[in-house]
Amino acid sequence: MLSVTNTLTRAKEPLRPRTPGRVTMYTCGPTVYRYAHIGNLRTFLLADLLRRALEAGGAEVRQVQNITDVGHMVDEEFDRGEDRMLVSARLEDKSPAEIAEHYTAAFLADAAAFNLQPAAAYPRASDHIPQMLELVARLLERGNAYEVDGNLYFAVESFPGYGRLSGNTLERLRAGHRQEAPDPRKRHHADFALWKAAGPGRLVKWPSPWGEGYPGWHIECSAMSLATLGEHIDVHTGGEDNVFPHHEDEIAQSEAVVDHQVVTTWVHGRHLLTGDFKMSKSRGNFLSLRELTSQGHSPLAARLLFLQARYRSPLNFTWDALTGAERTLDRLRARMAGWARAPEAPQGPAPTGHERRFWAAVDDDLDTPTALAVLHDLEADESLAPAARFACVQAFDRVLGLDLAAQVGQTLPAGAEDLIAARTRARAARDFAAADRLRDQLATLGVEVTDTPSGPTWRLRSPGA
Ligand code: AMP
Ligand code: ZN
């Protein structure tokens, strides 16, 4: 059974769904005002891995990932700045709807290229305004919210559990309350906006009982998660920066309305860094998948790179590490193609020990570095039968999602087989100059040869790659 680290309890726990065999999962989705950066993808990969691990264990997973197309402010921590969507619309001279449409399509394309399994639903915030208004009205009725000039705030002091997820309890927040000038409209400086009055000239707004306005980012996820998955959700994922205030506030809103715990397990991924800083648009140190591919890298090499670290360790991105992952991915695919081609004859023991260790690592809080080490052990163990190795790695790949069988069934161009055989003979005769010439000849045919302990394997290079 899969265990994960629950941010709420700060402990590693078995992920036991409320309904055995069926898991509901809410994944905090992208704000569609720009191309996703690969840091975002690292967090989405965590959700994908969780889901694949649960599915490999036989569970049926209903995953919902929201699309934030309104109300995410530039400075969310202090609940101020402009709406990110509107900033992009202005900068790109497009309507907010065009921005949302373009970057939603780009996100879905990136997700597919990164082998993220599609969610069962992608609710858009702008399609759930009535549900948000309904939640706000209920919070107001119950005394958890108050209105000031068309703005509605959540009163954190009305929710005793505030701070349980992040550790930012009201006492701590009070102690840490800095020189920041408090917003005079708020009763407590940690109160946060549920609904904001539309200022003059604001493009995207909706009518509400309190005048025209737009939702706060946190109420969006409460409304969409309750609307799509109901009042009990097994697991909710996000990046570490989502813990506070976003998820802390989501818990306060949802639980104040339904009067019980909604999400059982919260799983947060640590950040992807560049040069020791969080990869982010505001810092300008971000990379999109498009930028990686335009530099000749494949998206799945980045996926492998991320799998080499556990989700709850920070990871520093470097081009060297990406190049290394690319080489490993190429080699694994070539090995898989070689095992698939191997004649039936060479038999050997089945890799049952590898299998056991691999799944134990996955179930142990998604320990992908250990799982990959097992895969490399299997790759190095020449005593195993090729067909069994192939089948075993194909099963591993259901969780890894690296398309490791991508080169299976490819056929060599005419003449290449003879050149590979001649090169093998040249190497055996230690005529390395001839072997290198033959390698170059093969390269002009688009064939790349890799030497392994059990002989050469090859792969076809796509033109220009
Ligand atoms: P956004 O599109 O800004 O709403 O972010 C989408 C997701 O990416 C959120 O769950 C964030 O927690 C996550 N995220 C943002 N920056 C990083 C980063 N550098 N590394 C990992 N995850 C990140
Ligand atoms: Zn969210």
Side-chain angles (χ1 to χ4, degrees):
M1 173 178 271
L2 173 67
S3 289
V4 286
T5 300
N6 186 352
T7 311
L8 192 61
T9 58
R10 292 150 183 81
K12 192 155 75 178
E13 297 169 352
L15 209 159
R16 276 203 192 84
R18 214 174 131 83
T19 309
R22 281 166 189 246
V23 181
T24 51
M25 177 164 159
Y26 187 86
T27 297
C28 241
T31 308
V32 285
Y33 69 113
R34 50 135 170 81
Y35 294 115
H37 60 61
I38 58 171
N40 304 135
L41 291 176
R42 181 180 191 211
T43 289
F44 302 148
L45 172 63
L46 158 62
D48 185 63
L49 280 176
L50 247 172
R51 172 163 160 204
R52 285 170 181 265
L54 288 161
E55 286 175 348
E60 207 181 283
V61 182
R62 179 167 162 77
Q63 182 191 12
V64 169
Q65 181 167 33
N66 66 290
I67 303 282
T68 301
D69 58 359
V70 64
H72 191 171
M73 310 317 262
V74 170
D75 183 351
E76 205 53 59
E77 192 165 345
F78 294 106
D79 203 8
R80 66 184 178 196
E82 282 183 90
D83 186 325
R84 297 178 190 214
M85 296 295 301
L86 302 190
V87 175
S88 285
R90 196 180 62 237
L91 293 177
E92 296 190 28
D93 198 17
K94 289 189 181 136
S95 72
E98 284 169 332
I99 291 285
E101 196 178 326
H102 176 78
Y103 290 112
T104 301
F107 159 69
L108 293 173
D110 286 348
F114 212 58
N115 266 355
L116 303 178
Q117 298 195 102
Y122 292 101
R124 282 155 174 78
S126 61
D127 289 337
H128 289 76
I129 303 295
Q131 290 88 337
M132 296 173 204
L133 288 173
E134 154 103 38
L135 277 188
V136 177
R138 282 167 70 184
L139 289 168
L140 197 59
E141 239 169 64
R142 293 175 149 247
N144 298 105
Y146 55 93
E147 188 217 338
V148 185
D149 301 335
N151 297 286
L152 282 105
Y153 297 101
F154 187 94
V156 288
E157 284 165 310
S158 72
F159 184 71
Y162 197 81
R164 262 180 65 210
L165 182 74
S166 63
N168 286 337
T169 54
L170 296 185
E171 298 75 72
R172 287 248 194 114
L173 283 170
R174 201 168 296 123
H177 189 35
R178 289 153 301 215
Q179 48 291 43
E180 278 294 313
D183 184 334
R185 291 172 298 191
K186 294 184 184 177
R187 292 183 191 162
H188 185 285
H189 70 90
D191 289 353
F192 56 90
L194 299 164
W195 184 261
K196 303 178 196 189
R202 164 133 190 144
L203 283 177
V204 181
K205 56 189 174 189
W206 289 267
S208 85
W210 314 284
E212 283 190 318
Y214 60 101
W217 178 36
H218 319 311
I219 198 74
E220 298 181 357
C221 280
S222 282
M224 288 187 276
S225 61
L226 292 169
T228 53
L229 294 173
E231 290 187 10
H232 293 280
I233 299 171
D234 295 307
V235 51
H236 193 313
T237 67
E240 58 177 309
D241 57 325
N242 290 152
V243 176
F244 187 85
H246 187 50
H247 290 160
E248 192 71 66
D249 293 353
E250 182 180 328
I251 292 176
Q253 298 161 151
S254 300
E255 297 189 2
V257 165
V258 303
D259 273 334
H260 60 74
Q261 185 171 349
V262 176
V263 175
T264 313
T265 306
W266 288 87
V267 187
H268 292 98
R270 297 298 297 273
H271 282 147
L272 182 69
L273 315 174
T274 24
D276 291 326
F277 291 104
K278 174 191 173 190
M279 182 174 283
S280 69
K281 176 154 183 177
S282 54
R283 200 172 270 280
N285 62 348
F286 66 99
L287 272 173
S288 65
L289 217 47
R290 272 138 242 268
E291 282 160 311
L292 286 196
T293 44
S294 71
Q295 305 264 345
H297 291 283
S298 60
L300 295 186
R303 185 172 168 120
L304 174 58
L305 176 67
F306 294 170
L307 292 173
Q308 289 167 350
R310 209 186 203 163
Y311 76 90
R312 54 189 172 80
S313 318
L315 173 65
N316 229 323
F317 174 85
T318 65
W319 288 101
D320 279 353
L322 181 65
T323 305
E326 189 92 54
R327 270 197 227 110
T328 305
L329 184 61
D330 281 351
R331 193 194 64 229
L332 287 168
R333 286 177 174 169
R335 298 299 319 265
M336 280 291 272
W339 296 329
R341 274 193 300 272
E344 283 295 305
Q347 284 305 332
T352 41
H354 295 86
E355 246 160 13
R356 194 180 34 73
R357 286 193 290 132
F358 181 90
W359 294 110
V362 169
D363 284 347
D364 178 17
D365 204 6
L366 302 173
D367 185 356
T368 50
T370 301
L372 287 174
V374 176
L375 169 58
H376 295 313
D377 284 351
L378 180 147
E379 193 194 350
D381 189 343
E382 301 298 339
S383 74
L384 301 169
R389 278 160 124 184
F390 178 82
C392 185
V393 175
Q394 210 169 25
F396 293 174
D397 202 24
R398 284 186 25 218
V399 167
L400 301 174
L402 294 170
D403 285 355
L404 293 176
Q407 285 167 35
V408 172
Q410 289 182 346
T411 47
L412 281 168
E417 194 123 22
D418 292 342
L419 293 173
I420 292 174
R423 183 174 168 277
T424 306
R425 285 194 301 275
R427 277 172 59 87
R430 306 192 66 77
D431 184 353
F432 295 112
D436 283 349
R437 269 197 310 281
L438 287 157
R439 178 196 285 279
D440 293 345
Q441 266 178 282
L442 282 159
T444 59
L445 294 177
V447 179
E448 195 180 276
V449 189
T450 308
D451 296 300
T452 75
S454 56
T457 62
W458 52 264
R459 71 174 200 124
L460 300 182
R461 287 216 72 106
S462 45

